[in-house]
Structures are given as structure tokens and as C-alpha cells.
Amino acid sequence: MRVSRRQQLPLLPLLRAYGGSLSAVDLDRLPALGARFAAVRSARGDVLAEAFLDGAAPDDFAAALVRFYEACVRPPLHVDVVRRRAGMVRHALGHLLRGSEPLARKAERCLRADGAYYVPGLGPSFWSALFQALDPTRNAGCTPATLTGLRRLGLARWPSHADAAHVYTTILKIYDRLRGLDPALTARHLDHFLSLAALMRGRDLWSASDGLDLVGPGIDLEALIRQERTRLPLRRRLKERGVALDAARAEVEAALAVLDGPRLGAALAVADPTGARRAPLDWHAHAEELTLWVGRLWEAEDPYEILETYWAREPIPGAGLWLPAAVLHLRDPRRFVPWGEEVRRGYALLDDGAGLDESAAARYRLCNDGVAWLCEQHRLHPLEAPGLLTAVSAAASVFAGEPAPVARTRAVAEAARFGGFCSDTFAFLKELAENNCREWMTGQRDRYRFAVRQPLVELCRCLAERYVEPVLRRGHGWDLETAARSGHALTSVCKNDYGRSLPYHAALWITFYRKGQGGKRDDVQFFVRLGADGLGYGLRLGREARDAGRLLRRNIQEHAEPLFRALCASGAAAECRFGADEEAPLPLLNAADLRSWAAGKSLVAGKSLPPDHALLTADELAGEILLTFDRLLPAYACAVQGDPLPFLADRSGPSPRGERFTAADFCRSTHLSEEWLARARELLGLKRQLILQGVPGTGKTHVARCLARLLARGRDDAVRLVQFHPAYSYEEFVEGIKVKSVELNGRQDVIYPVEDGLLCAFAAEAERRPSEPFVLVVDEINRGNLPRVFGELLYLLEYRDQTLVLPYSRRSFRLPANLYVLGTMNAADRSVALVDQALRRRFSFLEIPPDAAVLSSWLREHPPAAGAEFASAVVGIFERLNERLRGDLGPERQVGHSYFMVPDLDAGRLRMVWEHHVRPLLEEYFAGHPGRAAAYDLERLSESGAGETGGKRRPTRVPR
């Protein structure tokens, strides 16, 4: 992973933040790393105990060594190698304990391929754990995470061709230097510190704590396995890939018989298409050599000996590493993986022993052994392994910020991303206030840039790109200053008062104000204030903003009532504090409170966060700030528009006498309880995506539309409905190239513009009004091919704070936080199981079961023409029908209550519903068993209720 100087993390501030929390760090209890640290600490009483080393039985020593290896290496791909070569490792440990050579020389003997104790498959993570066990205070650990941390901090200063022993010797010197900066830190602490630095996003070192259980930086094996199986389900892979390999295998044998080089090439391209495309091979010219070597590999008992000879000689120019591996993969896909570039790179990221100076054949053997371990431990089929390793390579590339070919459209866009503040931000500002002099600041420049200046610049750009530019400037026509530079939207830390006071500001500002109004002090402004006491943000009118102040106060006095309604509709009245710079905030309970607020000399409305608030360290802070800006937009309009009434009317929503859909309206329309509604809202709050699932006829679509209307506060323009079907495409839903005929210079021509699909267009509307909820209803969501329809947006459903680059337009895109997705799914549909893997992590699921209470409630509101007794009989038929279906077929094969919710229901209409709606559904449930469906007769279900009445009433008979 290359790290540019601009991307490097500052060492001293992060080391200071880590040292300040040292007392709270229990290394042995850390996720994932704790097992390694505990094994290192206890090794002198176990595998490195001289008595055990000399006297333990071979099996006992091998078992102890395997336990140590499994604790220190992740993933432990070569347990069999450790067990098989335990005797060699035992000799090495004796040398480590008793040898008089310096550690650097001992490392060479273990880590170099020509070393006396070198064991293929055992790499730096394993050996450095043993070195560290000799001296946990000084000796460094060498893991993928510590190496990545050193690179991100700009400390990995060794030649690219350096071997593992040289790298480890260099790391020992780096650790000595770091311990000189903070003597309280041991080598184990520095391992932990570097692992955090490797995984941290933004500026909070401890934000990486939850990611320490990953196999490597950016590599979550379980998630990648789920992703690969979602992309191509195992059953389909086995069917398609298995048939293709069988056919290619037959082609190889036929080509060998007639010395047909091109035919061999076509067959091998099936085993490794990417490798074949990259191979500059003349299949005709080398047909004889090809058939000779392919034939040897095809029939050899031990192909690794032939591989050693082949790769040493390179008899076929352009064949490279991929061709013989493709031959072996075709021969036996369960034992041999194709060895293309992406597979090799992905495997190297997982194997501690990869990349050492071994022959190609030895590396390929280790790769196959490691893949066999992965398949056994993670229940992978061997045919899934190449795809998984390619995904590992892509994930690591995305984490490193490289444009991996496989994941180019999934790469996280760098534009408009806020990395968060850190704990040192507020500590620095507090110390600056206490030591406000140039001598102190001279030694704190790097700390200031990392903890204060850079996050302010990022936050300013983020707010400008996500809200100020698209909404205020392009949407409303207000040209605001957004440049993230001192003297523009940002203030400088240096005071410009010619030495008359302290040299530095202890609080810094972001201010968005209109250009051409004189300056930031002369206009109303959206602001962010950063100080030692925390972060404030909102709307501010300074004392010098005379014109804007007069207009704002006049508009508030004249239009306080509609402004108050608009602020209530946006949430500002409840969420924001209204006051002045020098005064306590006022409660905003009515229009009179607004007029009182407007009487102040300098007006402020907004929110504040204390220094320890979790939101300050995450990208979500930008969303919270722009949401507050949007909530206060009605007040801003009163300061910049002569007549704000049209704007206020638009932002107020329905008038008090208009149609606003309430929770009571929802319960009345759906006949569902308030408890059900509360659960649905809570689930939407967790993920912003909810699927309503149930058997046919439970009213899922009706409930989804009512819930959407409730969430959107009765605004029909804030709700979209789309129905998925097998032919629905990504181009319709996200974006795509459309064909258009246009007239150019008097003739018709065809152009191919990129146009937004339904989701992108609707998301743009939602982004323009972040304080208002927007709801997308996807009916029959399981009917679409979700990986194809959503594409890379499946990722955004899970990570709403991230941005992706869309493949056609190449623009960055994110799902707004105020956009909710409601889906409906038929639980009886046989395709649900295929969809579940793709959706389960992205959506919450809520059941709408067949409910006799809902049917009873509806029949009370819509009394049947046959009377209340008939209504009770219908409910009884409904209950007995589903009771029998649950017993015969299970709960997923029931009939919904809406089938029976028919106006003016009587016996004739009931029979019509049964014959034309219910019976076809039952025949579908009992497909292949028509006799069982015939047993569900309306008369029988009606008459079976007689025994349940106790003779108190006679059941209603349904005429034929």
C-alpha cells in the first residue's frame, strides 16, 4: 500500500493520544489482538520454557506450538505445516534461547529462504511473535496491521526489494525511536498503536478498535464470502462452472491427442479467463511444446516436481505463471486453484508466509494448502475460492485508496468526505487558550494542522458540496461564499490586530454568507464554531449586519405566525435553541417567542455539542449540521427575501385545516395497532430500510403506502412507488444511457445521454430538503434481480455515510439520510430465499400476518348486508381456514384477511371471492396434489364451526 505524503498521518499527535489512554488499555483482552498478546506474554512459560523445550514429547510440543501459531497468525492457514515441521521449529527455538548472535542475525536464519531454520509457510507474524516473547518490552511484532500502520505514519523507510529479515531489523530501530518518544510504551503497546493507525478512518485513533478483529486492514473475510455468494449463489456457480469445466476438460484431452495448440488455449481460457486474456501466446507456434508440458502435468502423480522444472526453464514464452496452474485447475478443481494475478495478490494478503524468497512452485503449493484450509474452516466450495481471493484483493485496494480494477465502481469517492475531529482537537484549543504565544505555537504546527485546520477545511468543503452549493445556490439562487480558505468561509487562527492583543484565536469559525454584501460581519450567515468548549452550528446575525438585520426583524414582526409554523414543520422549534450571543436561549413555544427573539441585538439559533460527543469524530456530523441549516432555512429566508411568505407557505406543509396524515389516521386506515406502528418506526430508525413481508392478501402494499404517507407528513410529492419485476433494470432504477433523437443543424441525429433513474432523481429531491422525510416504496421487491437492479447501491444501503462513484456518469453519489425505503415481499413466494442473503443485512423485516382482529375491525366499520351474525361467521371461516393451512403446509402458506374485506359482503359475494380468489391460491399451494386442495371446501369450513358454537347459534350456510 503506497501512502503519499499528503495522506500520511502525523505521528506525534496520535502517539500522544494513545499514551494519554494507556492506563485503560488491557492488551490481553483486546479483540483478536488480545490472543496474540496473551500468547506472547505467556510463551516463556510454554513453548519457550527451556525445560519444556528439552523434555516435552514430540506430540506435546507440536500441540503447544500449534496453539501458539493459531493465536499469533490470522488466518492460520498452515497449521499442518507447523505440526509437520515442529521438530525444525524446536531447533530454531533452542537457537533463539541460547544463541549468542544478535537478534537481527537470528531473524535472518528464520526468515530468509536460505536460512538454517527457514520453514516454508511460516512468516514474519509467527517468527516475530517468538522474537517478541524473548523481550516483550523491546522486540517488535511484524504483522500486516503493524506494517500498514508504519506506512500510514510515513515510517516504513526500507527498499521495496528488501527481504523480511531486513524489514524486521529496520522495524526494531523504529520501535526504539518510538519508545524514546514515550518510554512508558512497550513493544506490545506499539503493536497495538500501529494496528489502530492502520485501521483508523478520519482522525480518531480509537475509531479503529472495532476493526481489530479483521483478518487484515480492510479485509473482512466473512463479509466478503457473503458478498461473493450474493453475487453468484453457490448452486448456480456449481451448475454453470461445473458444466464449463467438464467440457473444457474433455477439450484438453482431445487437443492433446491431436497436438492442437489453439484448442488447448481455448480450453485453458475456461479455467482462467483473465490469465488467458493477458497471455501474449502464439498457440500455433508453440503447439508442440504446449502439448508436451500440458500432457506431463495432466498425467503426473506429483505435479509440483514438474512445475518446479517448468517455471525454472520457462519453455513457452508468454505463458507466465497462470498457464500450468490453469492446467492443474482443469484437471482437479478441488485440489488446485487458478493462479492469475488477482488470485495471487489476494492470497498474499492472507498468508503470513507469502512473499518470502521461495520458488514459484513452492508458493503455488502453499497457496493450494492455504485455500484448502479456508474451504474447510469457512465451508467454502473450492470453486468459490478464486472469486473470494479476487474480492480480497479488491477490498484491500479500496482500503488503500487504489483504483482496483475489480472494484472501480465501488471505490469510495474522496470528494465531500469529512474525517471527523479527534480528542486532541479540543485539548489543543484549550492549551492554546492557556499558552497563547508564538513560542508555544511554533512547536505545535503539525498538531494544529492535523487536529484543527484539516478537519475544518474538510467540514467546510463537505457542507458546501452537499448543501450550500446544490440547495442554497443552485436551488434558491443565493450566491454564498464557500471557499475553504482563510478570509473567505474559514477564519484564520492568527489574529489580524497588529499585535494589540494575543496572537491567536482560541475559537475558529466556518461562515457561509452572501457575496457582494460587504463581508461576513455584514450579513446573516450559516455558521460552525469550534472551540475548547465544543462545537456550535446554526444561523447567526451579527451586530454589524444592518440591512439583513432590519429585513429579518421586520419580516418576523409581520410574519411571525407562518414562520413559526414553518419552523415547527422543519423541526427547528423543537431541536434548536434561539437566543443571542450574550444571552440564555429562549423557549420557542409560539409566534410571540419569535418576536421576543427578534428584539435582541445579535441573533443566534442553532445547536451545540460538547467536546466528548461521539458525533464529532464521524462523517455523520456533516449530515447533522446541514440538517440543522435546512431546519433554520425559513428564518434565513426572512433575512434575505423581501417577501418570504411564498417560501414559508411551501415549508410549512399542510395548513392546520388541511389534510395531514397522522398516526391515528394510519391505525384507522390499516386497522393495525399503535404497538405495531411503534415497532415499524423503531425499525426504520435503525436502518432506514424496512420490508413488510407476509402471505398473499395481508394488505402489505396498502400498509406500506399508509406508512409512507405518515412518514412524509402527508406530503404526496415526498412519496414514490415503484414495482419490481424480473425485467426491471439498473438503468431504470439508478442511471443509464438512453437513446434520444434530436435535431442538429436541420437534420435528425441520435445521442446517448446518461439519465438518472427513479432512485437517483428521487434522492436528488430528498437531498435538496434534508429536514423533510422522503419515502420510496418498492412493491414486490423480491421480484427483481436485486444485485442487478441496485448494483453498487446495495453497499450504500448498509453504509449511508459513504459515497460511491456511479459507473455511467462517473459522478459521486450518496443516499440521503432523510430518504427511507419501504419494501413489500410475499412470504409465500418461492424466490424469497434467493433474495434473503442480499437483503438481510440491509433491511429490517416486519411481518404482517393474517389477522382475524383486522378482519373483524374492518367488518365492524363496513357491516355486511347479511348482518353481524354473518360477519362473525366469515371471521370463523377465515380462522379455521388458516388453522388448517398452518397444520398442513406451515405458517408461510396461509391466506390473508384482505381477501374477505369486500364491501356489502353477503353469501353470494363470499362464494364469488372463494371461487375466484381463494381457491386459485389454494390450488397453487397444493400444486401437484389437487385432491388436497379439494378438501378445502367452503361448505365444510362453514359447517365445521357448528361443533365450536356449543349449540348457542347455528352457523350461516353458504348457498351453492
Side-chain angles (χ1 to χ4, degrees):
M1 181 180 83
R2 300 186 189 90
V3 180
S4 69
R5 186 166 183 82
R6 185 179 63 84
Q7 295 172 317
Q8 284 180 9
L9 300 174
L11 173 63
L12 292 179
L14 293 178
L15 199 62
R16 174 192 178 102
Y18 183 81
S21 303
L22 197 59
S23 59
V25 177
D26 186 351
L27 295 178
D28 291 353
R29 295 185 180 276
L30 292 173
L33 286 179
R36 177 185 171 93
F37 290 146
V40 166
R41 183 175 54 81
S42 60
R44 292 304 293 265
D46 194 2
V47 293
L48 277 174
E50 293 196 42
F52 182 76
L53 194 62
D54 295 336
D59 288 346
D60 293 340
F61 178 80
L65 191 64
V66 165
R67 287 195 299 272
F68 182 84
Y69 172 79
E70 290 177 331
C72 297
V73 179
R74 301 185 71 246
L77 300 177
H78 299 301
V79 171
D80 288 341
V81 172
V82 175
R83 192 176 288 113
R84 189 171 62 249
R85 303 296 299 276
M88 174 63 77
V89 178
R90 194 168 191 168
H91 288 301
L93 297 189
H95 177 66
L96 291 179
L97 277 173
R98 303 181 180 109
S100 58
E101 296 176 319
L103 182 60
R105 181 62 179 153
K106 293 177 179 178
E108 289 181 0
R109 294 187 182 279
C110 298
L111 286 169
R112 289 181 55 170
D114 58 355
Y117 303 111
Y118 174 76
V119 176
L122 301 186
S125 292
F126 174 72
W127 288 111
S128 67
L130 290 168
F131 303 155
Q132 200 168 43
L134 298 174
D135 185 354
T137 300
R138 181 179 181 276
N139 292 346
C142 185
T143 67
T146 58
L147 290 172
T148 303
L150 289 168
R151 292 188 187 100
R152 293 193 74 187
L153 290 163
L155 300 174
R157 296 168 186 167
W158 50 75
S160 58
H161 59 274
D163 60 38
H166 177 79
V167 169
Y168 186 71
T169 303
T170 307
I171 292 174
L172 287 175
K173 297 175 182 177
I174 295 171
Y175 271 47
D176 284 342
R177 198 166 90 243
L178 294 178
R179 290 180 59 245
L181 296 173
D182 190 342
L185 300 178
T186 67
R188 291 200 306 154
H189 286 119
L190 291 174
D191 284 358
H192 182 218
F193 166 70
L194 291 172
S195 298
L196 291 172
L199 293 165
M200 66 180 282
R201 292 291 191 185
R203 292 172 183 80
D204 183 13
L205 181 68
W206 298 98
S207 66
S209 297
D210 294 340
L212 293 178
D213 58 346
L214 298 180
V215 167
I219 302 172
D220 184 342
L221 265 186
E222 293 295 338
L224 290 174
I225 290 171
R226 289 194 300 269
Q227 171 187 307
E228 187 63 16
R229 284 182 171 163
T230 298
R231 185 183 70 82
L232 187 58
L234 178 57
R235 182 175 298 179
R236 180 179 159 197
R237 187 192 300 270
L238 294 178
K239 182 179 178 181
E240 297 177 358
R241 185 71 173 155
V243 170
L245 290 177
D246 286 341
R249 196 175 298 115
E251 279 291 290
V252 167
E253 293 177 351
L256 288 174
V258 295
L259 305 181
D260 190 335
R263 197 171 176 183
L264 269 178
L268 295 178
V270 175
D272 187 353
T274 305
R277 284 195 300 270
R278 293 175 177 172
L281 246 171
D282 188 336
W283 299 97
H284 282 286
H286 300 290
E288 187 174 347
E289 285 290 325
L290 276 167
T291 53
L292 172 65
W293 285 100
V294 171
R296 288 177 179 177
L297 290 168
W298 200 256
E299 298 172 359
E301 290 186 13
D302 183 6
Y304 291 110
E305 293 181 5
I306 299 174
L307 283 176
E308 195 79 55
T309 305
Y310 173 86
W311 275 321
R313 294 183 186 178
E314 297 185 5
I316 304 172
L321 297 176
W322 79 273
L323 188 143
V327 173
L328 293 176
H329 181 63
L330 267 183
R331 170 184 157 178
D332 188 351
R334 290 183 172 273
R335 287 181 56 202
F336 304 102
V337 293
W339 215 34
E341 183 179 338
E342 285 82 9
V343 171
R344 292 197 302 273
R345 185 173 186 271
Y347 180 76
L349 292 165
L350 299 179
D351 188 358
D352 177 44
L356 299 180
D357 191 14
E358 301 155 339
S359 68
R363 293 200 304 273
Y364 186 54
R365 182 194 291 268
L366 288 172
C367 178
N368 286 318
D369 292 344
V371 167
W373 183 91
L374 284 172
C375 291
E376 180 183 354
Q377 294 297 316
H378 294 278
R379 297 184 178 180
L380 279 173
H381 192 279
L383 290 181
E384 292 180 298
L388 172 64
L389 296 176
T390 300
V392 167
S393 174
S397 297
V398 171
F399 180 85
E402 300 170 4
V406 178
R408 187 170 286 121
T409 59
R410 292 174 182 262
V412 176
E414 291 297 324
R417 174 147 184 90
F418 173 56
F421 296 103
C422 60
S423 57
D424 195 47
T425 301
F426 304 97
F428 173 87
L429 292 172
K430 182 179 180 182
E431 292 174 32
L432 174 62
E434 297 168 351
N435 304 276
N436 203 322
C437 62
R438 301 188 190 279
E439 294 76 16
W440 182 86
M441 189 67 170
T442 300
Q444 306 291 329
R445 289 289 177 183
D446 288 344
R447 186 181 168 199
Y448 162 71
R449 279 194 291 271
F450 173 74
V452 179
R453 184 66 182 183
Q454 288 179 3
L456 272 177
V457 169
E458 287 180 8
L459 183 58
C460 181
R461 289 174 177 164
C462 192
L463 295 172
E465 291 183 27
R466 289 194 208 171
Y467 184 75
V468 180
E469 291 290 337
V471 177
L472 301 186
R473 187 174 70 83
R474 293 195 293 271
H476 297 291
W478 301 321
D479 188 14
L480 274 64
E481 177 62 71
T482 59
R485 301 196 304 272
S486 297
H488 295 266
L490 286 179
T491 60
S492 171
V493 71
C494 298
K495 287 188 176 180
N496 188 19
D497 61 358
Y498 307 99
R500 290 193 295 271
S501 66
L502 297 173
Y504 302 108
H505 292 286
L508 296 171
W509 297 73
I510 299 171
T511 51
F512 300 112
Y513 56 94
R514 290 176 296 168
K515 297 176 182 178
Q517 300 297 313
K520 66 183 67 178
R521 293 185 179 88
D522 302 311
D523 194 27
V524 63
Q525 55 190 237
F526 286 111
F527 77 91
V528 179
R529 177 191 179 275
L530 178 69
D533 55 343
L535 191 81
Y537 47 93
L539 180 71
R540 187 170 182 270
L541 179 73
R543 295 188 179 188
E544 298 177 25
R546 294 182 178 84
D547 293 340
R550 279 194 293 270
L551 184 58
L552 174 63
R553 291 182 173 91
R554 189 197 75 194
N555 279 330
I556 291 179
Q557 295 301 326
E558 294 180 4
H559 310 300
E561 286 76 13
L563 174 59
F564 179 72
R565 286 199 300 272
L567 292 174
C568 288
S570 70
E575 295 288 335
C576 299
R577 298 183 304 167
F578 290 74
D581 283 338
E582 68 279 0
E583 298 173 5
L586 297 168
L588 200 62
L589 302 178
N590 49 47
D593 292 335
L594 269 177
R595 292 188 174 96
S596 300
W597 173 64
K601 293 183 179 179
S602 60
L603 308 184
V604 180
K607 300 178 71 173
S608 61
L609 300 174
D612 59 349
H613 199 285
L615 204 57
L616 293 172
T617 62
D619 182 67
E620 287 89 340
L621 175 64
E624 164 62 23
I625 292 174
L626 65 86
L627 175 60
T628 300
F629 286 177
D630 197 66
R631 283 171 169 163
L632 292 167
L633 200 53
Y636 182 85
C638 288
V640 298
Q641 290 187 340
D643 181 13
L645 276 179
F647 185 91
L648 298 180
D650 179 57
R651 298 301 291 253
S652 297
S655 67
R657 295 179 299 277
E659 295 184 2
R660 180 183 289 276
F661 199 72
T662 65
D665 295 327
F666 172 87
C667 295
R668 186 164 50 252
S669 298
T670 62
H671 299 274
L672 292 171
S673 65
E674 293 180 359
E675 290 77 12
W676 188 96
L677 176 59
R679 190 183 311 119
R681 282 180 146 172
E682 185 177 357
L683 290 172
L684 273 169
L686 288 175
K687 293 188 175 182
R688 298 190 187 91
Q689 289 101 227
L690 175 66
I691 285 182
L692 305 179
Q693 63 178 3
V695 301
T698 51
K700 299 179 292 295
T701 303
H702 173 68
V703 172
R705 295 180 69 172
C706 289
L707 183 56
R709 192 178 177 197
L710 175 65
L711 294 170
R713 302 167 187 163
R715 296 178 298 112
D716 293 337
D717 62 328
V719 178
R720 290 287 188 281
L721 187 142
V722 59
Q723 187 166 45
F724 279 7
H725 51 79
Y728 199 70
S729 68
Y730 177 92
E731 288 73 16
E732 293 174 277
F733 192 58
V734 183
E735 68 168 12
I737 297 174
K738 306 294 174 66
V739 180
K740 281 192 173 182
S741 178
V742 296
E743 185 175 337
L744 293 174
N745 300 324
R747 63 184 181 85
Q748 291 293 320
D749 204 350
V750 177
I751 61 172
Y752 302 90
V754 176
E755 292 187 0
D756 283 347
L758 182 145
L759 177 63
C760 283
F762 194 48
E765 293 183 37
E767 201 163 22
R768 284 193 290 269
R769 301 178 75 160
S771 63
E772 300 176 12
F774 284 71
V775 188
L776 176 64
V777 179
V778 183
D779 197 25
E780 301 284 1
I781 192 170
N782 53 310
R783 290 293 183 186
N785 184 331
L786 294 184
R788 186 178 69 185
V789 173
F790 277 96
E792 65 280 352
L793 296 194
L794 275 176
Y795 173 82
L796 290 185
L797 289 174
E798 188 170 5
Y799 301 102
R800 284 292 188 104
D801 61 321
Q802 300 291 314
T803 304
L804 291 179
V805 176
L806 296 178
Y808 290 106
S809 62
R810 307 304 300 162
R811 65 186 174 93
S812 59
F813 177 76
R814 71 170 59 228
L815 283 175
N818 61 322
L819 176 60
Y820 297 86
V821 181
L822 284 178
T824 68
M825 178 183 289
N826 187 348
D829 197 307
R830 299 178 188 273
S831 64
V832 171
L834 300 178
V835 176
D836 187 64
Q837 288 185 358
L839 294 187
R840 186 58 60 183
R841 288 184 297 111
R842 276 92 177 183
F843 283 80
S844 298
F845 286 75
L846 186 57
E847 188 78 20
I848 302 183
D851 195 338
V854 172
L855 179 58
S856 297
S857 175
W858 191 91
L859 289 172
R860 282 195 299 272
E861 285 194 9
H862 306 80
E869 186 177 353
F870 179 80
S872 178
V874 170
V875 173
I877 292 170
F878 170 75
E879 289 180 314
R880 289 188 291 277
L881 168 64
N882 281 323
E883 183 179 358
R884 288 191 59 181
L885 286 172
R886 287 194 298 271
D888 290 347
L889 298 175
E892 72 280 1
R893 293 289 189 271
Q894 299 184 74
V895 175
H897 41 261
S898 67
Y899 281 104
F900 300 91
M901 294 164 67
V902 178
D904 301 321
L905 187 64
D906 57 17
R909 287 201 170 201
L910 177 60
R911 173 159 297 283
M912 188 181 299
V913 167
W914 190 270
E915 294 297 332
H916 298 283
H917 296 164
V918 178
R919 184 177 296 282
L921 181 62
L922 295 176
E923 290 173 351
E924 181 182 334
Y925 284 170
F926 291 104
H929 302 280
R932 296 183 66 187
Y936 283 77
D937 185 76
L938 179 57
E939 281 74 18
R940 292 185 186 181
L941 289 170
S942 177
E943 292 172 355
S944 64
E948 301 168 12
T949 62
K952 294 181 180 178
R953 66 174 176 84
R954 190 173 65 181
T956 301
R957 294 294 184 92
V958 179
R960 289 187 178 273

